[in-house]
Amino acid sequence: FPVKNINFYFSQTIANVLYNLALNPDAQERLHSELEMALEGVDENSSEHFDIVNGKIPYLEAVRCTCLHRIVFNKFFKH
C-alpha cells in the first residue's frame, strides 16, 4: 500500500504494539524484564542505549514484527 503519511503508520504501529501488550500481560511482563536486563546500567541518552533498543533485544523485535503483521493482515483482509 502506498505510504501517504509515514507519521500515521508509525503512530499506528506504536498504538498497536501498546494495545496488544495491554491485552497480553505475560508478554508485557516478559518484554519489561528483558528491557530492564538489557538496559541495566546504560545511560538512556547514550548511543549504546539506542543501539540496544534497536536491535539487541530479540523479544522486542518479535513483538514489533507480530504487530506489524497484524496491521497488514487486518488492512488487506478486513471483512
Side-chain angles (χ1 to χ4, degrees):
F1 52 94
V3 176
K4 295 179 182 174
N5 183 346
I6 195 70
N7 290 329
F8 169 76
Y9 294 111
F10 179 75
S11 61
Q12 184 181 19
T13 301
I14 296 297
N16 191 272
V17 167
L18 294 174
Y19 174 75
N20 281 289
L21 285 171
L23 292 178
N24 298 288
D26 293 337
Q28 184 180 33
E29 181 59 36
R30 178 177 173 187
L31 181 59
H32 181 260
S33 296
E34 290 192 18
L35 283 166
E36 280 199 334
M37 285 189 309
L39 297 171
E40 186 176 346
V42 177
D43 178 23
E44 65 184 43
N45 295 314
S46 69
S47 61
E48 181 185 9
H49 185 278
F50 180 83
D51 292 340
I52 290 170
V53 170
N54 286 300
K56 295 185 180 174
I57 304 173
Y59 194 68
L60 176 60
E61 184 68 14
V63 168
R64 186 188 65 81
C65 287
T66 299
C67 291
L68 284 173
H69 289 136
R70 288 182 181 172
I71 290 171
V72 171
F73 184 82
N74 289 337
K75 181 163 183 70
F76 289 108
F77 299 103
K78 253 185 175 173
H79 300 306

